[in-house]
Amino acid sequence: MTPAEFEKLFDVPRGTMQQLDTYVALLKDWQGRMNLVGPATLDDIWGRHFADSAQLKNHVPAGQSWLDIGAGAGFPGMVLAALGWGRFHLVDSVGKKARFLNAVRQELNLHNTVSVHCARVESLPPLGVDLVTARAAAPLATLLDWALRHLRPGGRCVFPKGRRWADEVSEAEALFSFDLTPYPSMTDPEARILLIEKVKRR
């Protein structure tokens, strides 16, 4: 996917595209010193990472509070923050990844909408967020266990999941009850966006 295709697909303002261009430059620079993303994906940052992250905004309204577990290089949370889609807690226990996230936060001037936590998500005090997300951080059952600690009453989860999504749902249903709506992914025909509500332990 080209930047122009991304801009058109998500109706992104020019100023935001400039921020995302800066994000790409930072990612490529830091990638030379640490493994932030799979090296093979660097040739399609706009599709594999930015579009894969940005599509979550199609399923939840703007202006809510989010927790992104295992934020890594900032996908999906930092991309959604750049798109103005809410207030974000980005959590990663790896110090060098947290430093990268803070560098992006500073360069993109997202101080008012992004907080970076270098910690294990289960060690943080409850955040009371509206939404929990994560991308390739853990199996669904583990994510729901972590999410319950931080969701406000009535909060929801929105997780992009790959081709094993149905197996992960079955495994999670042994431990939790929840309402699930799976949506097709815009970036992978075998993947789904899982919108999960009313999560309870069995």
Side-chain angles (χ1 to χ4, degrees), residues 90-153:
L90 306 185
V91 179
D92 204 289
S93 61
V94 179
K96 60 186 179 181
K97 293 181 178 178
R99 288 194 296 275
F100 172 74
L101 293 171
N102 272 312
V104 177
R105 174 178 176 261
Q106 180 172 338
E107 289 295 320
L108 272 57
N109 194 27
L110 295 174
H111 303 87
N112 293 331
T113 55
V114 172
S115 299
V116 176
H117 306 267
C118 184
R120 297 185 63 83
V121 68
E122 60 269 38
S123 72
L124 289 174
L127 294 170
V129 295
D130 302 308
L131 291 156
V132 172
T133 191
R135 183 173 180 252
L140 181 60
T142 303
L143 292 175
L144 292 177
D145 182 48
W146 290 338
L148 275 175
R149 177 179 177 83
H150 295 289
L151 281 172
R152 66 163 177 78

